[in-house]
Amino acid sequence: MSQAAHPAPRSLAEALRARDDASLAALLRSRPDLVTPVPTDLTQLATRAGTRASVLRALERLDRFALQTAEALAVAPDPASYDTLLGLMAGDARDETIAAALPHALGTLREQALVWGDDDRLRLVRTARELLAPSPQHPSPTGLGPTVQEATSGMSPGRIQEIVMAAGLPSTHDSVSAVAALTALFSDRKKMAKLLADAPEPAVEVLSRLVWGPPYGQVTPEPAAHLRWLLDRGLLLPTAPGTVVLPREVALHLRQGRAHRAPEPLPPAVEPAATHSPQVVDATAAGQAYTALATVEELLKDWDEGGPAVLRAGGLSVRDLKRTAVALDVSEPVAAFWVELAYAAGLIAADGEADERYAATPAYDEWLERPAAERWARLAETWLAATRTPGLVGGRDAKDRTLAALGPGLDRSAAPEVRHRVLTLLAGLPTGAAPGADAVLARLRWERPLRGPQQRGAEEDLRTRLARWTLSEAELLGITGRGALSTHGRALLGAPALGAGTSDTSRTTAGTAQTAAHRSSTATGATPGSPGTTRAAAGPAESSRPAESSRPAESSRPAESSGPGDKLPVHHHHRPAPVLAPLSSAEQAVATAAAARLLAPLLPEPLDHVLLQADLTAVAPGPLQRPLADVLDVLADVESKGGATVYRFTPASVRRALDAGHTAADLHAFLAQHSRTPVPQPLAYLIDDVARKHGHLRVGAASAYVRCDDDSLLNEILADKRAAALRLRRLAPTVLATQSDPAALLEGLRAMGYAPAAESAEGDVLIARAHAHRTPPRTAPEPVPDGPPPPDATLLSAAIRAIRAGDLAATTPRKPAGEPLSGGEPPRTSSAETLATVQAAVLTGASLWIGYVNAEGAASQRVIAPVKVEGGFVTAYDHTADEVRTYPLHRITGVAELAED
């Protein structure tokens, strides 16, 4: 298309106006804040795209090379040509790798409306230039200083002439031409080489220390000879008393034209650090998944009768977290992870009572009834989308307050995106391959670099910590095994299944002509879910992907644009390789179900038996069926866990079962039914012995009393020195009383070796069963979104249509009518003039430009084609809304005819 047909844009709004719909859709998808709310026209879209908050957000989502390209444009002339940008990035040597990657990086910046203009007049948006350009307060990551023109802006004309003459240039008649001559000298490679050839060795050493930044240095009022040599020739320029700076043009000459010391056009490779058999990976992950379920069940069982108290500020106290860690036999950070995961899944919550405590929710009982694989899938899906970050527990917030588990301040909106990206990198490796953590972190830092210089020894940034926590938490949950992504973990992401030794990035969709890009897909600067990303698909595995056809905006983008617009490189060449974008809610539900189906065969089947041993222990060689496990938890104490659980029978545990209402005969029958070995004689004797003593003593409320038909046993209790603290006294030959409460009396007698039973006021034995405490129905906490969500295809289509129509209304030429108002608003017309103009437009079929005020008082401009005027209303086709609407005539503030083209 010729330049005459499409002249160079003069503003970002004009550049956006020349784009096709596909380019606008890519912009709105990559920067969703621009479409919330929908702009009225392209001028408003351009204004919003240049605001500081929006530009900052866009810069933070660029990969390292795209950001380096933007930084180079910030130190280049405005506007700059593509050749100038290439020189700043690739240097005088014109590095081929950088030269090959630069069009794609520039296309990313153009797509996200950070750069506009043709290749001979590239412009970085003003806000981005202000953020990235070097200044004394905010040094540039390039390490470059101000230009000669900027550094000499406050210098006297006489001093500038002295510098020009000392540099071997003829004097000029004004400062402007002198600065221009000095700039030309410093930009000329041959002349600069000749000038520096005469420099003293110490002067060259000073330049070498400043060349890569920071460009500022300190000098004394009487500088040394080699510094004076540099100052006299303008190779160092004063910026303040005692401070000098290396001009940008001099630094670029010394750098061989490069703006960055180490451009990074290619992302760091994520290579396998170890490779395991896929079967070993899946088995290890399945074992971890089973352990995760057992740990969460144990946590909820420990809190079944009411968990720890809620702090006044919210959350668990440090003491309660330590107790929970001891109960689960894990470290405190791991305990915080399980507590937070159960909370995020809606299994625990605060009960909301006056003495508020944490307890299981009714959803926990429903969760327990589901198959093991489905229970795991719910936990894994919750973890993948949760914004609460357990790794922060124990740290400090902005007000230096300790962050507590289950407390406020733990939400980090970047967590889901980092988790998904880390797992996607694992999915891109061959099956069974486990990368090193440092390789994953290096890749993530390339994809989302931190702007500005990073101090050595400083605390790791949030994304790096989130990535580390993701690797460890995925292992705890059983999504990975031995550091490699499992088969069910891959299904959880919606990734196609791969064969051993095959990686995601080496698979392409069958029958397409797309070639592999020289860089990873994330080199576009687009994160998962951003423009330019498509789903990885491969052969028959693609058919298992959920609702792929429902994502046309991401997977079916047209190869060539069909409307007017500048042909953005990112749309037409150098396409990125496929990556896994985050799933929608419906797709994630299907993927989660698929992961559960893959995990189910790997989990051990619950057993209905144990192995009783003569040392009063029982060995459960695997997970037990729930009824069996519930009775064993009452009848015996857990001694050790692992692949097999060891239970130990003690007098206290047997008495606990009797207190729960079981009889000795019940216990004998239970053990005989569920033991693969004969019931050992010591265990049978233990049950009979405890049962014989159980309930011989009866404790009731007097405050409390002890009743026994054997008065000699009561005499024995009174004579026991250990009973002194109970302050017992005899009321009758078979009754003792005390001021202690019944619970304390029961505990005291049991500590003395007796087996008393509590009784009611009617004399019946009270059965002590655990009372399950549940909260009222609670909803799981909602993740905190990281800004506006990416718009779907329907919203994008409607938004672009509305923006185009609004832009048409704002830019279409109008016939003069009346006195137009300021600001480009339609003219005010009387009711009679409005009615006459609308009626005439009905007859002629002309379009009108109207001002309209709705029922809420909001004013807008619209382009309409009137169809009918009747009863005080005009029915017209509204170009702005792209539909037929009816407007009350009294709400039309003014009307004007559109000029003919």
Side-chain angles (χ1 to χ4, degrees):
M1 201 168 287
S2 66
Q3 290 293 329
H6 287 281
R10 295 171 298 175
S11 65
L12 177 58
E14 286 191 7
L16 295 178
R17 195 165 288 123
R19 287 192 178 198
D20 55 43
D21 288 353
S23 297
L24 286 180
L27 168 62
L28 299 180
R29 193 182 297 111
S30 62
R31 297 175 66 178
D33 56 300
L34 300 183
V35 78
T36 309
V38 177
T40 58
D41 54 34
L42 289 169
T43 300
Q44 188 179 88
L45 177 63
T47 302
R48 192 179 297 176
T51 58
R52 182 180 179 87
S54 182
V55 170
L56 271 173
R57 186 177 181 83
L59 291 175
E60 289 170 355
R61 292 176 175 272
L62 295 176
D63 64 53
R64 189 181 301 278
F65 189 63
L67 183 59
Q68 287 180 332
T69 303
E71 291 166 350
L73 279 172
V75 298
D78 187 27
S81 66
Y82 181 83
D83 289 339
T84 300
L85 176 61
L86 179 61
L88 288 172
M89 296 300 296
D92 296 340
R94 291 295 194 267
D95 185 285
E96 293 183 359
T97 303
I98 296 176
L102 185 59
H104 183 68
L106 181 59
T108 299
L109 297 175
R110 273 176 162 157
E111 181 181 80
Q112 300 196 27
L114 295 172
V115 170
W116 58 277
D118 296 332
D119 282 353
D120 57 344
R121 293 181 64 83
L122 296 172
R123 292 183 183 273
L124 191 66
V125 295
R126 184 178 59 184
T127 307
R129 179 174 289 275
E130 293 172 354
L131 290 169
L132 298 177
S135 67
Q137 295 77 21
H138 303 285
S140 168
T142 62
L144 292 170
T147 62
V148 173
Q149 181 180 358
E150 294 167 345
T152 58
S153 59
M155 190 176 294
S156 66
R159 177 56 184 155
I160 294 177
Q161 294 295 336
E162 291 176 1
I163 294 175
V164 168
M165 296 179 66
L169 299 174
S171 62
T172 63
H173 60 280
D174 58 32
S175 297
V176 174
S177 57
V179 170
L182 202 59
T183 301
L185 169 65
F186 292 162
S187 301
D188 190 302
R189 296 286 187 267
K190 293 182 179 179
K191 293 181 179 179
M192 274 294 289
K194 183 178 180 180
L195 177 63
L196 291 175
D198 299 331
E201 187 65 29
V204 175
E205 183 180 349
V206 169
L207 294 178
S208 65
R209 289 202 301 266
L210 298 177
V211 63
W212 292 110
Y216 294 90
Q218 301 295 321
V219 295
T220 61
E222 295 295 332
H226 63 281
L227 293 176
R228 173 56 61 189
W229 190 92
L230 294 172
L231 289 168
D232 288 344
R233 288 156 180 79
L235 298 174
L236 291 180
L237 293 172
T239 59
T243 303
V244 294
V245 67
L246 180 67
R248 185 180 305 170
E249 293 83 356
V250 177
L252 287 173
H253 170 79
L254 297 173
R255 297 178 177 197
Q256 301 299 312
R258 285 186 292 144
H260 294 87
R261 189 168 196 168
E264 298 182 55
L266 302 179
V270 181
E271 300 291 346
T275 303
H276 310 283
S277 165
Q279 292 77 14
V280 171
V281 170
D282 288 347
T284 303
Q288 284 297 119
Y290 167 71
T291 302
L293 293 177
T295 304
V296 173
E297 290 180 27
E298 186 175 357
L299 168 67
L300 273 296
K301 189 179 296 181
D302 188 49
W303 291 9
D304 196 52
E305 298 181 53
V310 180
L311 293 175
R312 183 180 302 175
L316 281 180
S317 67
V318 175
R319 182 182 294 107
D320 287 329
L321 182 59
K322 289 181 178 179
R323 289 173 180 168
T324 302
V326 171
L328 299 180
D329 194 21
V330 296
S331 63
E332 290 177 37
V334 175
F337 167 70
W338 294 121
V339 169
E340 283 287 344
L341 180 62
Y343 174 66
L347 305 182
I348 58 174
D351 58 15
E353 298 180 359
D355 184 18
E356 195 171 30
R357 312 185 74 81
Y358 288 106
T361 64
Y364 168 65
D365 299 309
E366 300 174 8
W367 180 77
L368 276 180
E369 298 302 320
R370 302 171 71 88
E374 293 183 17
R375 283 185 278 134
W376 174 86
R378 176 171 174 179
L379 294 179
E381 182 181 10
T382 298
W383 171 78
L384 197 60
T387 56
R388 292 189 64 82
T389 311
L392 297 172
V393 172
R396 297 278 178 174
D397 63 8
K399 297 182 179 179
D400 201 36
R401 295 174 300 193
T402 302
L403 294 171
L406 301 181
L410 293 182
D411 283 291
R412 296 295 182 272
S413 56
E417 185 266 327
V418 172
R419 293 191 190 109
H420 186 277
R421 187 61 193 137
V422 169
L423 296 182
T424 299
L425 290 176
L426 298 185
L429 295 175
T431 304
D438 291 340
V440 174
L441 297 179
R443 177 62 168 267
L444 290 179
R445 282 193 290 267
W446 186 91
E447 294 178 356
R448 289 283 188 87
L450 291 177
R451 293 193 304 109
Q454 301 302 306
Q455 297 181 356
R456 292 185 178 181
E459 184 181 5
E460 288 183 335
D461 63 281
L462 177 62
R463 285 180 61 84
T464 299
R465 289 181 289 155
L466 285 173
R468 290 191 186 277
W469 295 332
T470 296
L471 292 172
S472 61
E473 291 169 2
E475 195 77 15
L476 285 174
L477 265 176
I479 295 175
T480 59
R482 300 196 177 185
L485 190 64
S486 63
T487 302
H488 50 274
R490 189 179 298 275
L492 184 68
L493 292 176
L498 301 179
T502 306
S503 65
D504 251 351
T505 54
S506 66
R507 307 284 295 269
T508 57
T509 305
T512 65
Q514 182 177 6
T515 58
H518 77 284
R519 306 162 59 222
S520 164
S521 59
T522 52
T524 63
T527 56
S530 62
T533 62
T534 58
R535 294 244 184 248
E542 184 65 21
S543 61
S544 65
R545 284 299 320 282
E548 194 68 32
S549 60
S550 66
R551 303 172 68 89
E554 296 185 21
S555 59
S556 305
R557 191 178 295 170
E560 294 292 335
S561 59
S562 57
D566 51 354
K567 305 303 186 241
L568 298 181
V570 73
H571 291 302
H572 305 291
H573 65 274
H574 203 95
R575 285 186 179 272
V579 298
L580 292 171
L583 303 174
S584 66
S585 299
E587 291 175 332
Q588 186 62 67
V590 176
T592 302
R597 288 194 299 271
L598 290 171
L599 176 64
L602 302 175
L603 294 176
E605 289 291 334
L607 303 176
D608 63 351
H609 64 273
V610 294
L611 305 176
L612 296 178
Q613 303 186 104
D615 60 349
L616 298 180
T617 61
V619 177
L624 299 177
Q625 294 179 352
R626 191 164 308 283
L628 173 58
D630 290 342
V631 175
L632 264 184
D633 285 338
V634 177
L635 180 58
D637 298 322
V638 176
E639 189 170 77
S640 65
K641 302 175 185 177
T645 303
V646 178
Y647 295 86
R648 178 165 294 281
F649 300 94
T650 65
S653 67
V654 174
R655 184 181 65 245
R656 187 170 63 231
L658 295 173
D659 288 341
H662 299 284
T663 64
D666 294 338
L667 298 181
H668 284 301
F670 171 80
L671 293 175
Q673 177 183 357
H674 294 288
S675 176
R676 287 291 178 89
T677 58
V679 179
Q681 194 175 53
L683 179 56
Y685 285 172
L686 173 65
I687 293 174
D688 291 338
D689 186 49
V690 174
R692 186 167 47 252
K693 299 178 182 178
H694 184 266
H696 201 189
L697 293 175
R698 299 292 184 90
V699 174
S703 290
Y705 64 84
V706 181
R707 179 172 64 83
C708 183
D709 294 336
D710 186 357
D711 57 350
S712 62
L713 182 56
L714 296 181
N715 291 334
E716 180 182 335
I717 293 174
L718 286 173
D720 196 321
K721 293 181 179 180
R722 292 175 296 176
L726 299 177
R727 293 181 295 174
L728 294 167
R729 58 189 178 86
R730 190 186 294 272
L731 295 182
T734 57
V735 179
L736 301 178
T738 179
Q739 294 182 356
S740 301
D741 62 86
L745 181 56
L746 281 169
E747 292 299 322
L749 292 175
R750 287 169 180 168
M752 294 168 61
Y754 299 100
E759 71 176 11
S760 66
E762 290 77 21
D764 299 324
V765 175
L766 293 175
I767 297 175
R769 287 195 176 96
H771 173 65
H773 178 58
R774 293 291 181 267
T775 69
R778 294 280 193 266
T779 57
E782 290 291 333
V784 178
D786 184 17
D792 56 23
T794 304
L795 176 58
L796 277 178
S797 177
I800 292 173
R801 191 166 58 247
I803 293 171
R804 292 282 193 202
D807 200 58
L808 175 64
T811 59
T812 302
R814 293 107 186 174
K815 292 181 180 180
E819 292 295 329
L821 300 179
S822 60
E825 297 181 8
R828 295 281 186 176
T829 57
S830 65
S831 299
E833 291 174 327
T834 299
L835 178 59
T837 305
V838 171
Q839 288 175 333
V842 172
L843 297 176
T844 61
S847 295
L848 300 177
W849 177 41
I850 67 169
Y852 182 75
V853 178
N854 63 15
E856 287 74 32
S860 61
Q861 303 174 34
R862 299 178 179 275
V863 174
I864 65 172
V867 178
K868 180 176 62 175
V869 180
E870 186 178 50
F873 292 86
V874 55
T875 302
Y877 177 76
D878 189 333
H879 291 275
T880 307
D882 197 19
E883 63 182 6
V884 176
R885 290 186 174 182
T886 300
Y887 298 101
L889 285 170
H890 68 275
R891 293 193 179 277
I892 298 178
T893 59
V895 61
E897 296 181 47
L898 299 180
E900 297 179 0
D901 294 337

